[in-house]
Amino acid sequence: MADTATTASAAASAANTSTDAPPFQLGKPRFQQTSFYGRFRHFLDIIDPRTLFVTERRLREAVQLLEDYKHGTLRPGVTNEQLWSAQKIKQAILHPDTNEKIFMPFRMSGYIPFGTPIVVGLLLPNQTLASTVFWQWLNQSHNACVNYANRNATKPSPASKFIQGYLGAVISAVSIAVGLNVLVQKANKFTPATRLLVQRFVPFPAVGRLSCRRAPGCSSLYKALCAWQPSAWPCRWPSASSRRCQRSRRPS
């Protein structure tokens, strides 16, 4: 009861000093999750690449500010905006289960800057067999690392499970991409221009098929898209706000 009272007192103090931001709620999304726009803005917060440039000192300050709020020792003058910003920084950098820093390329905020070069490589025209295999392998490797870095660490899984999933994803993606490329090249009815255009779209079924296979785990960025549609839950990323895996929303 005492903790509840002190937290409520801290919330009231913050609310009185800021009217621009909504009242702060520890571990809750800043934006309403009952509308598409609210979920969209929340998702933009998750992938905000600016959090990649947060210094170690700023991270410590953000963590301490949240601890002060939690224990009701928040200093006067702290605004809701500052609290929301602190929570955003902490959740973007630290794993919610282990409280350890996530390697920058594998954070959700790093998915776009580090994943975009891979997407460009997947869409390069006139690819050889070697380049097709390389880019598909790199894409699936990046996805696997993101999945592992953002895993549910409260229920450890054997390493063999991750290795098996990784190998299955790589083999499937490479097989689909190479197979479709061969089929397109053997399609005599296609003009050179049409063949080139169709080849540009070969990576999509390879990547899309694998993202569907990963759906039960809901661990990668594809599954963060479930935040846009609550009916897609039990995706473990319904809000991705306080934990990577919000198990409370999974059906029994």
PDB file of all heavy atoms in Angstrom, residues 30-61:
ATOM      1  N   ARG A  30       2.753   4.887 -23.929  1.00  0.00           N
ATOM      2  CA  ARG A  30       2.431   6.310 -23.867  1.00  0.00           C
ATOM      3  C   ARG A  30       1.160   6.623 -24.654  1.00  0.00           C
ATOM      4  O   ARG A  30       0.364   7.468 -24.257  1.00  0.00           O
ATOM      5  CB  ARG A  30       3.601   7.130 -24.417  1.00  0.00           C
ATOM      6  CG  ARG A  30       3.299   8.611 -24.544  1.00  0.00           C
ATOM      7  CD  ARG A  30       4.536   9.395 -24.921  1.00  0.00           C
ATOM      8  NE  ARG A  30       4.250  10.816 -25.027  1.00  0.00           N
ATOM      9  CZ  ARG A  30       5.172  11.768 -25.139  1.00  0.00           C
ATOM     10  NH1 ARG A  30       6.463  11.429 -25.151  1.00  0.00           N
ATOM     11  NH2 ARG A  30       4.836  13.038 -25.247  1.00  0.00           N
ATOM     12  N   PHE A  31       0.969   5.938 -25.759  1.00  0.00           N
ATOM     13  CA  PHE A  31      -0.149   6.230 -26.647  1.00  0.00           C
ATOM     14  C   PHE A  31      -1.245   5.171 -26.480  1.00  0.00           C
ATOM     15  O   PHE A  31      -0.967   3.995 -26.224  1.00  0.00           O
ATOM     16  CB  PHE A  31       0.324   6.278 -28.097  1.00  0.00           C
ATOM     17  CG  PHE A  31       1.435   7.254 -28.329  1.00  0.00           C
ATOM     18  CD1 PHE A  31       2.747   6.824 -28.467  1.00  0.00           C
ATOM     19  CD2 PHE A  31       1.181   8.617 -28.377  1.00  0.00           C
ATOM     20  CE1 PHE A  31       3.783   7.718 -28.669  1.00  0.00           C
ATOM     21  CE2 PHE A  31       2.211   9.529 -28.575  1.00  0.00           C
ATOM     22  CZ  PHE A  31       3.510   9.079 -28.722  1.00  0.00           C
ATOM     23  N   GLN A  32      -2.479   5.595 -26.645  1.00  0.00           N
ATOM     24  CA  GLN A  32      -3.618   4.693 -26.511  1.00  0.00           C
ATOM     25  C   GLN A  32      -3.519   3.544 -27.507  1.00  0.00           C
ATOM     26  O   GLN A  32      -3.288   3.768 -28.700  1.00  0.00           O
ATOM     27  CB  GLN A  32      -4.925   5.467 -26.728  1.00  0.00           C
ATOM     28  CG  GLN A  32      -5.273   6.439 -25.607  1.00  0.00           C
ATOM     29  CD  GLN A  32      -5.614   5.725 -24.312  1.00  0.00           C
ATOM     30  OE1 GLN A  32      -6.122   4.609 -24.308  1.00  0.00           O
ATOM     31  NE2 GLN A  32      -5.340   6.400 -23.189  1.00  0.00           N
ATOM     32  N   GLN A  33      -3.726   2.332 -27.019  1.00  0.00           N
ATOM     33  CA  GLN A  33      -3.626   1.156 -27.869  1.00  0.00           C
ATOM     34  C   GLN A  33      -4.977   0.699 -28.416  1.00  0.00           C
ATOM     35  O   GLN A  33      -5.075  -0.362 -29.035  1.00  0.00           O
ATOM     36  CB  GLN A  33      -2.979   0.014 -27.075  1.00  0.00           C
ATOM     37  CG  GLN A  33      -1.590   0.343 -26.557  1.00  0.00           C
ATOM     38  CD  GLN A  33      -0.595   0.602 -27.680  1.00  0.00           C
ATOM     39  OE1 GLN A  33      -0.153  -0.323 -28.351  1.00  0.00           O
ATOM     40  NE2 GLN A  33      -0.242   1.870 -27.893  1.00  0.00           N
ATOM     41  N   THR A  34      -5.992   1.500 -28.196  1.00  0.00           N
ATOM     42  CA  THR A  34      -7.338   1.137 -28.657  1.00  0.00           C
ATOM     43  C   THR A  34      -7.619   1.630 -30.071  1.00  0.00           C
ATOM     44  O   THR A  34      -8.645   1.293 -30.644  1.00  0.00           O
ATOM     45  CB  THR A  34      -8.394   1.732 -27.709  1.00  0.00           C
ATOM     46  OG1 THR A  34      -8.185   3.148 -27.580  1.00  0.00           O
ATOM     47  CG2 THR A  34      -8.291   1.086 -26.324  1.00  0.00           C
ATOM     48  N   SER A  35      -6.702   2.402 -30.636  1.00  0.00           N
ATOM     49  CA  SER A  35      -6.893   2.903 -31.994  1.00  0.00           C
ATOM     50  C   SER A  35      -5.672   2.582 -32.836  1.00  0.00           C
ATOM     51  O   SER A  35      -4.560   2.390 -32.313  1.00  0.00           O
ATOM     52  CB  SER A  35      -7.114   4.424 -31.992  1.00  0.00           C
ATOM     53  OG  SER A  35      -5.939   5.108 -31.583  1.00  0.00           O
ATOM     54  N   PHE A  36      -5.885   2.522 -34.141  1.00  0.00           N
ATOM     55  CA  PHE A  36      -4.769   2.243 -35.052  1.00  0.00           C
ATOM     56  C   PHE A  36      -3.713   3.332 -34.944  1.00  0.00           C
ATOM     57  O   PHE A  36      -2.511   3.045 -34.925  1.00  0.00           O
ATOM     58  CB  PHE A  36      -5.271   2.143 -36.491  1.00  0.00           C
ATOM     59  CG  PHE A  36      -4.166   2.025 -37.509  1.00  0.00           C
ATOM     60  CD1 PHE A  36      -3.609   0.794 -37.808  1.00  0.00           C
ATOM     61  CD2 PHE A  36      -3.673   3.155 -38.158  1.00  0.00           C
ATOM     62  CE1 PHE A  36      -2.582   0.678 -38.736  1.00  0.00           C
ATOM     63  CE2 PHE A  36      -2.650   3.055 -39.084  1.00  0.00           C
ATOM     64  CZ  PHE A  36      -2.107   1.806 -39.376  1.00  0.00           C
ATOM     65  N   TYR A  37      -4.143   4.594 -34.869  1.00  0.00           N
ATOM     66  CA  TYR A  37      -3.190   5.694 -34.828  1.00  0.00           C
ATOM     67  C   TYR A  37      -2.328   5.630 -33.566  1.00  0.00           C
ATOM     68  O   TYR A  37      -1.124   5.882 -33.607  1.00  0.00           O
ATOM     69  CB  TYR A  37      -3.940   7.027 -34.883  1.00  0.00           C
ATOM     70  CG  TYR A  37      -3.028   8.230 -34.894  1.00  0.00           C
ATOM     71  CD1 TYR A  37      -2.157   8.457 -35.955  1.00  0.00           C
ATOM     72  CD2 TYR A  37      -3.034   9.140 -33.834  1.00  0.00           C
ATOM     73  CE1 TYR A  37      -1.312   9.553 -35.964  1.00  0.00           C
ATOM     74  CE2 TYR A  37      -2.193  10.237 -33.838  1.00  0.00           C
ATOM     75  CZ  TYR A  37      -1.335  10.442 -34.907  1.00  0.00           C
ATOM     76  OH  TYR A  37      -0.490  11.527 -34.913  1.00  0.00           O
ATOM     77  N   GLY A  38      -2.958   5.279 -32.440  1.00  0.00           N
ATOM     78  CA  GLY A  38      -2.198   5.161 -31.204  1.00  0.00           C
ATOM     79  C   GLY A  38      -1.171   4.049 -31.270  1.00  0.00           C
ATOM     80  O   GLY A  38      -0.024   4.209 -30.822  1.00  0.00           O
ATOM     81  N   ARG A  39      -1.557   2.909 -31.849  1.00  0.00           N
ATOM     82  CA  ARG A  39      -0.623   1.802 -31.996  1.00  0.00           C
ATOM     83  C   ARG A  39       0.481   2.144 -32.997  1.00  0.00           C
ATOM     84  O   ARG A  39       1.633   1.748 -32.831  1.00  0.00           O
ATOM     85  CB  ARG A  39      -1.370   0.530 -32.430  1.00  0.00           C
ATOM     86  CG  ARG A  39      -2.347   0.010 -31.383  1.00  0.00           C
ATOM     87  CD  ARG A  39      -2.892  -1.355 -31.748  1.00  0.00           C
ATOM     88  NE  ARG A  39      -3.710  -1.338 -32.953  1.00  0.00           N
ATOM     89  CZ  ARG A  39      -5.011  -1.102 -32.977  1.00  0.00           C
ATOM     90  NH1 ARG A  39      -5.644  -0.810 -31.844  1.00  0.00           N
ATOM     91  NH2 ARG A  39      -5.693  -1.129 -34.114  1.00  0.00           N
ATOM     92  N   PHE A  40       0.110   2.906 -34.038  1.00  0.00           N
ATOM     93  CA  PHE A  40       1.087   3.326 -35.027  1.00  0.00           C
ATOM     94  C   PHE A  40       2.142   4.227 -34.394  1.00  0.00           C
ATOM     95  O   PHE A  40       3.345   4.043 -34.609  1.00  0.00           O
ATOM     96  CB  PHE A  40       0.382   4.061 -36.169  1.00  0.00           C
ATOM     97  CG  PHE A  40       1.311   4.634 -37.199  1.00  0.00           C
ATOM     98  CD1 PHE A  40       1.990   3.815 -38.077  1.00  0.00           C
ATOM     99  CD2 PHE A  40       1.502   6.011 -37.294  1.00  0.00           C
ATOM    100  CE1 PHE A  40       2.856   4.341 -39.032  1.00  0.00           C
ATOM    101  CE2 PHE A  40       2.350   6.548 -38.234  1.00  0.00           C
ATOM    102  CZ  PHE A  40       3.031   5.707 -39.107  1.00  0.00           C
ATOM    103  N   ARG A  41       1.709   5.197 -33.592  1.00  0.00           N
ATOM    104  CA  ARG A  41       2.653   6.107 -32.932  1.00  0.00           C
ATOM    105  C   ARG A  41       3.514   5.353 -31.918  1.00  0.00           C
ATOM    106  O   ARG A  41       4.706   5.646 -31.771  1.00  0.00           O
ATOM    107  CB  ARG A  41       1.896   7.236 -32.235  1.00  0.00           C
ATOM    108  CG  ARG A  41       1.183   8.175 -33.179  1.00  0.00           C
ATOM    109  CD  ARG A  41       0.695   9.409 -32.463  1.00  0.00           C
ATOM    110  NE  ARG A  41       1.809  10.217 -31.954  1.00  0.00           N
ATOM    111  CZ  ARG A  41       1.640  11.299 -31.195  1.00  0.00           C
ATOM    112  NH1 ARG A  41       0.414  11.685 -30.858  1.00  0.00           N
ATOM    113  NH2 ARG A  41       2.684  11.980 -30.775  1.00  0.00           N
ATOM    114  N   HIS A  42       2.914   4.389 -31.255  1.00  0.00           N
ATOM    115  CA  HIS A  42       3.679   3.577 -30.309  1.00  0.00           C
ATOM    116  C   HIS A  42       4.756   2.775 -31.038  1.00  0.00           C
ATOM    117  O   HIS A  42       5.896   2.673 -30.576  1.00  0.00           O
ATOM    118  CB  HIS A  42       2.731   2.639 -29.561  1.00  0.00           C
ATOM    119  CG  HIS A  42       3.432   1.671 -28.659  1.00  0.00           C
ATOM    120  ND1 HIS A  42       4.097   2.063 -27.525  1.00  0.00           N
ATOM    121  CD2 HIS A  42       3.585   0.326 -28.736  1.00  0.00           C
ATOM    122  CE1 HIS A  42       4.626   1.005 -26.937  1.00  0.00           C
ATOM    123  NE2 HIS A  42       4.331  -0.065 -27.661  1.00  0.00           N
ATOM    124  N   PHE A  43       4.402   2.226 -32.192  1.00  0.00           N
ATOM    125  CA  PHE A  43       5.357   1.453 -32.970  1.00  0.00           C
ATOM    126  C   PHE A  43       6.499   2.342 -33.461  1.00  0.00           C
ATOM    127  O   PHE A  43       7.663   1.930 -33.465  1.00  0.00           O
ATOM    128  CB  PHE A  43       4.644   0.797 -34.152  1.00  0.00           C
ATOM    129  CG  PHE A  43       5.517  -0.108 -34.964  1.00  0.00           C
ATOM    130  CD1 PHE A  43       5.961  -1.307 -34.454  1.00  0.00           C
ATOM    131  CD2 PHE A  43       5.901   0.249 -36.245  1.00  0.00           C
ATOM    132  CE1 PHE A  43       6.782  -2.144 -35.196  1.00  0.00           C
ATOM    133  CE2 PHE A  43       6.710  -0.584 -36.998  1.00  0.00           C
ATOM    134  CZ  PHE A  43       7.153  -1.781 -36.467  1.00  0.00           C
ATOM    135  N   LEU A  44       6.177   3.578 -33.857  1.00  0.00           N
ATOM    136  CA  LEU A  44       7.228   4.512 -34.279  1.00  0.00           C
ATOM    137  C   LEU A  44       8.179   4.806 -33.123  1.00  0.00           C
ATOM    138  O   LEU A  44       9.385   4.993 -33.327  1.00  0.00           O
ATOM    139  CB  LEU A  44       6.602   5.812 -34.787  1.00  0.00           C
ATOM    140  CG  LEU A  44       5.818   5.725 -36.096  1.00  0.00           C
ATOM    141  CD1 LEU A  44       5.275   7.098 -36.477  1.00  0.00           C
ATOM    142  CD2 LEU A  44       6.676   5.167 -37.229  1.00  0.00           C
ATOM    143  N   ASP A  45       7.641   4.847 -31.898  1.00  0.00           N
ATOM    144  CA  ASP A  45       8.485   5.048 -30.729  1.00  0.00           C
ATOM    145  C   ASP A  45       9.455   3.882 -30.543  1.00  0.00           C
ATOM    146  O   ASP A  45      10.615   4.070 -30.178  1.00  0.00           O
ATOM    147  CB  ASP A  45       7.609   5.191 -29.481  1.00  0.00           C
ATOM    148  CG  ASP A  45       7.705   6.581 -28.884  1.00  0.00           C
ATOM    149  OD1 ASP A  45       8.338   7.453 -29.497  1.00  0.00           O
ATOM    150  OD2 ASP A  45       7.147   6.800 -27.788  1.00  0.00           O
ATOM    151  N   ILE A  46       8.956   2.669 -30.783  1.00  0.00           N
ATOM    152  CA  ILE A  46       9.780   1.475 -30.581  1.00  0.00           C
ATOM    153  C   ILE A  46      10.977   1.457 -31.528  1.00  0.00           C
ATOM    154  O   ILE A  46      12.083   1.091 -31.138  1.00  0.00           O
ATOM    155  CB  ILE A  46       8.928   0.201 -30.783  1.00  0.00           C
ATOM    156  CG1 ILE A  46       7.862   0.097 -29.687  1.00  0.00           C
ATOM    157  CG2 ILE A  46       9.805  -1.048 -30.779  1.00  0.00           C
ATOM    158  CD1 ILE A  46       6.899  -1.048 -29.906  1.00  0.00           C
ATOM    159  N   ILE A  47      10.749   1.863 -32.773  1.00  0.00           N
ATOM    160  CA  ILE A  47      11.823   1.770 -33.782  1.00  0.00           C
ATOM    161  C   ILE A  47      12.559   3.092 -33.966  1.00  0.00           C
ATOM    162  O   ILE A  47      13.324   3.227 -34.929  1.00  0.00           O
ATOM    163  CB  ILE A  47      11.248   1.296 -35.132  1.00  0.00           C
ATOM    164  CG1 ILE A  47      10.234   2.321 -35.668  1.00  0.00           C
ATOM    165  CG2 ILE A  47      10.618  -0.081 -35.012  1.00  0.00           C
ATOM    166  CD1 ILE A  47       9.751   2.010 -37.081  1.00  0.00           C
ATOM    167  N   ASP A  48      12.368   4.037 -33.072  1.00  0.00           N
ATOM    168  CA  ASP A  48      13.016   5.342 -33.186  1.00  0.00           C
ATOM    169  C   ASP A  48      14.539   5.181 -33.131  1.00  0.00           C
ATOM    170  O   ASP A  48      15.094   4.817 -32.081  1.00  0.00           O
ATOM    171  CB  ASP A  48      12.546   6.243 -32.040  1.00  0.00           C
ATOM    172  CG  ASP A  48      13.042   7.670 -32.183  1.00  0.00           C
ATOM    173  OD1 ASP A  48      13.878   7.924 -33.077  1.00  0.00           O
ATOM    174  OD2 ASP A  48      12.589   8.535 -31.409  1.00  0.00           O
ATOM    175  N   PRO A  49      15.251   5.422 -34.231  1.00  0.00           N
ATOM    176  CA  PRO A  49      16.710   5.199 -34.244  1.00  0.00           C
ATOM    177  C   PRO A  49      17.493   6.200 -33.411  1.00  0.00           C
ATOM    178  O   PRO A  49      18.687   5.991 -33.174  1.00  0.00           O
ATOM    179  CB  PRO A  49      17.065   5.319 -35.732  1.00  0.00           C
ATOM    180  CG  PRO A  49      16.001   6.183 -36.311  1.00  0.00           C
ATOM    181  CD  PRO A  49      14.747   5.867 -35.539  1.00  0.00           C
ATOM    182  N   ARG A  50      16.856   7.261 -32.954  1.00  0.00           N
ATOM    183  CA  ARG A  50      17.583   8.239 -32.139  1.00  0.00           C
ATOM    184  C   ARG A  50      18.073   7.637 -30.824  1.00  0.00           C
ATOM    185  O   ARG A  50      19.063   8.114 -30.254  1.00  0.00           O
ATOM    186  CB  ARG A  50      16.692   9.451 -31.875  1.00  0.00           C
ATOM    187  CG  ARG A  50      16.418  10.299 -33.100  1.00  0.00           C
ATOM    188  CD  ARG A  50      15.458  11.426 -32.784  1.00  0.00           C
ATOM    189  NE  ARG A  50      14.144  10.916 -32.365  1.00  0.00           N
ATOM    190  CZ  ARG A  50      13.125  11.693 -32.011  1.00  0.00           C
ATOM    191  NH1 ARG A  50      13.279  13.023 -32.022  1.00  0.00           N
ATOM    192  NH2 ARG A  50      11.971  11.164 -31.656  1.00  0.00           N
ATOM    193  N   THR A  51      17.384   6.594 -30.352  1.00  0.00           N
ATOM    194  CA  THR A  51      17.812   5.978 -29.097  1.00  0.00           C
ATOM    195  C   THR A  51      19.131   5.231 -29.245  1.00  0.00           C
ATOM    196  O   THR A  51      19.744   4.864 -28.243  1.00  0.00           O
ATOM    197  CB  THR A  51      16.736   4.999 -28.590  1.00  0.00           C
ATOM    198  OG1 THR A  51      16.478   4.006 -29.589  1.00  0.00           O
ATOM    199  CG2 THR A  51      15.441   5.732 -28.276  1.00  0.00           C
ATOM    200  N   LEU A  52      19.576   5.024 -30.482  1.00  0.00           N
ATOM    201  CA  LEU A  52      20.874   4.380 -30.693  1.00  0.00           C
ATOM    202  C   LEU A  52      22.026   5.279 -30.266  1.00  0.00           C
ATOM    203  O   LEU A  52      23.135   4.807 -30.006  1.00  0.00           O
ATOM    204  CB  LEU A  52      21.044   4.010 -32.171  1.00  0.00           C
ATOM    205  CG  LEU A  52      20.081   2.969 -32.748  1.00  0.00           C
ATOM    206  CD1 LEU A  52      20.277   2.868 -34.258  1.00  0.00           C
ATOM    207  CD2 LEU A  52      20.285   1.616 -32.089  1.00  0.00           C
ATOM    208  N   PHE A  53      21.767   6.587 -30.184  1.00  0.00           N
ATOM    209  CA  PHE A  53      22.827   7.544 -29.886  1.00  0.00           C
ATOM    210  C   PHE A  53      22.800   8.005 -28.429  1.00  0.00           C
ATOM    211  O   PHE A  53      23.502   8.946 -28.058  1.00  0.00           O
ATOM    212  CB  PHE A  53      22.703   8.762 -30.809  1.00  0.00           C
ATOM    213  CG  PHE A  53      22.761   8.394 -32.274  1.00  0.00           C
ATOM    214  CD1 PHE A  53      21.594   8.304 -33.028  1.00  0.00           C
ATOM    215  CD2 PHE A  53      23.969   8.132 -32.895  1.00  0.00           C
ATOM    216  CE1 PHE A  53      21.636   7.968 -34.368  1.00  0.00           C
ATOM    217  CE2 PHE A  53      24.023   7.801 -34.235  1.00  0.00           C
ATOM    218  CZ  PHE A  53      22.855   7.712 -34.975  1.00  0.00           C
ATOM    219  N   VAL A  54      21.997   7.338 -27.606  1.00  0.00           N
ATOM    220  CA  VAL A  54      21.928   7.692 -26.190  1.00  0.00           C
ATOM    221  C   VAL A  54      23.240   7.299 -25.505  1.00  0.00           C
ATOM    222  O   VAL A  54      23.725   6.172 -25.675  1.00  0.00           O
ATOM    223  CB  VAL A  54      20.736   6.980 -25.514  1.00  0.00           C
ATOM    224  CG1 VAL A  54      20.785   7.166 -24.002  1.00  0.00           C
ATOM    225  CG2 VAL A  54      19.429   7.505 -26.073  1.00  0.00           C
ATOM    226  N   THR A  55      23.797   8.204 -24.734  1.00  0.00           N
ATOM    227  CA  THR A  55      25.056   7.937 -24.049  1.00  0.00           C
ATOM    228  C   THR A  55      24.818   7.076 -22.810  1.00  0.00           C
ATOM    229  O   THR A  55      23.698   6.950 -22.317  1.00  0.00           O
ATOM    230  CB  THR A  55      25.734   9.247 -23.636  1.00  0.00           C
ATOM    231  OG1 THR A  55      24.893   9.939 -22.694  1.00  0.00           O
ATOM    232  CG2 THR A  55      25.982  10.137 -24.850  1.00  0.00           C
ATOM    233  N   GLU A  56      25.901   6.510 -22.314  1.00  0.00           N
ATOM    234  CA  GLU A  56      25.825   5.684 -21.102  1.00  0.00           C
ATOM    235  C   GLU A  56      25.326   6.512 -19.921  1.00  0.00           C
ATOM    236  O   GLU A  56      24.543   6.030 -19.091  1.00  0.00           O
ATOM    237  CB  GLU A  56      27.205   5.103 -20.792  1.00  0.00           C
ATOM    238  CG  GLU A  56      27.215   4.093 -19.672  1.00  0.00           C
ATOM    239  CD  GLU A  56      26.506   2.797 -20.031  1.00  0.00           C
ATOM    240  OE1 GLU A  56      26.508   2.442 -21.226  1.00  0.00           O
ATOM    241  OE2 GLU A  56      25.953   2.147 -19.121  1.00  0.00           O
ATOM    242  N   ARG A  57      25.777   7.744 -19.856  1.00  0.00           N
ATOM    243  CA  ARG A  57      25.347   8.624 -18.757  1.00  0.00           C
ATOM    244  C   ARG A  57      23.858   8.902 -18.839  1.00  0.00           C
ATOM    245  O   ARG A  57      23.158   8.855 -17.819  1.00  0.00           O
ATOM    246  CB  ARG A  57      26.136   9.935 -18.833  1.00  0.00           C
ATOM    247  CG  ARG A  57      25.715  10.954 -17.779  1.00  0.00           C
ATOM    248  CD  ARG A  57      26.519  12.235 -17.922  1.00  0.00           C
ATOM    249  NE  ARG A  57      26.066  13.241 -16.970  1.00  0.00           N
ATOM    250  CZ  ARG A  57      26.562  14.480 -16.897  1.00  0.00           C
ATOM    251  NH1 ARG A  57      27.550  14.848 -17.720  1.00  0.00           N
ATOM    252  NH2 ARG A  57      26.091  15.332 -16.004  1.00  0.00           N
ATOM    253  N   ARG A  58      23.368   9.164 -20.046  1.00  0.00           N
ATOM    254  CA  ARG A  58      21.931   9.440 -20.207  1.00  0.00           C
ATOM    255  C   ARG A  58      21.105   8.204 -19.865  1.00  0.00           C
ATOM    256  O   ARG A  58      20.022   8.319 -19.288  1.00  0.00           O
ATOM    257  CB  ARG A  58      21.659   9.872 -21.654  1.00  0.00           C
ATOM    258  CG  ARG A  58      20.186  10.169 -21.934  1.00  0.00           C
ATOM    259  CD  ARG A  58      19.739  11.431 -21.236  1.00  0.00           C
ATOM    260  NE  ARG A  58      18.317  11.700 -21.436  1.00  0.00           N
ATOM    261  CZ  ARG A  58      17.363  11.331 -20.590  1.00  0.00           C
ATOM    262  NH1 ARG A  58      17.684  10.674 -19.462  1.00  0.00           N
ATOM    263  NH2 ARG A  58      16.105  11.609 -20.834  1.00  0.00           N
ATOM    264  N   LEU A  59      21.613   7.034 -20.195  1.00  0.00           N
ATOM    265  CA  LEU A  59      20.906   5.800 -19.858  1.00  0.00           C
ATOM    266  C   LEU A  59      20.813   5.626 -18.346  1.00  0.00           C
ATOM    267  O   LEU A  59      19.751   5.283 -17.823  1.00  0.00           O
ATOM    268  CB  LEU A  59      21.622   4.602 -20.483  1.00  0.00           C
ATOM    269  CG  LEU A  59      21.079   3.220 -20.113  1.00  0.00           C
ATOM    270  CD1 LEU A  59      19.622   3.068 -20.551  1.00  0.00           C
ATOM    271  CD2 LEU A  59      21.936   2.125 -20.741  1.00  0.00           C
ATOM    272  N   ARG A  60      21.906   5.865 -17.652  1.00  0.00           N
ATOM    273  CA  ARG A  60      21.901   5.748 -16.187  1.00  0.00           C
ATOM    274  C   ARG A  60      20.925   6.740 -15.568  1.00  0.00           C
ATOM    275  O   ARG A  60      20.209   6.415 -14.611  1.00  0.00           O
ATOM    276  CB  ARG A  60      23.307   5.970 -15.628  1.00  0.00           C
ATOM    277  CG  ARG A  60      24.282   4.827 -15.921  1.00  0.00           C
ATOM    278  CD  ARG A  60      25.499   4.926 -15.007  1.00  0.00           C
ATOM    279  NE  ARG A  60      26.198   6.191 -15.186  1.00  0.00           N
ATOM    280  CZ  ARG A  60      27.208   6.373 -16.032  1.00  0.00           C
ATOM    281  NH1 ARG A  60      27.630   5.365 -16.781  1.00  0.00           N
ATOM    282  NH2 ARG A  60      27.802   7.552 -16.122  1.00  0.00           N
ATOM    283  N   GLU A  61      20.899   7.950 -16.117  1.00  0.00           N
ATOM    284  CA  GLU A  61      19.970   8.956 -15.604  1.00  0.00           C
ATOM    285  C   GLU A  61      18.521   8.527 -15.823  1.00  0.00           C
ATOM    286  O   GLU A  61      17.664   8.729 -14.942  1.00  0.00           O
ATOM    287  CB  GLU A  61      20.223  10.300 -16.298  1.00  0.00           C
ATOM    288  CG  GLU A  61      21.550  10.944 -15.922  1.00  0.00           C
ATOM    289  CD  GLU A  61      21.818  12.207 -16.737  1.00  0.00           C
ATOM    290  OE1 GLU A  61      21.056  12.447 -17.708  1.00  0.00           O
ATOM    291  OE2 GLU A  61      22.773  12.938 -16.408  1.00  0.00           O
TER     292      GLU A  61
END
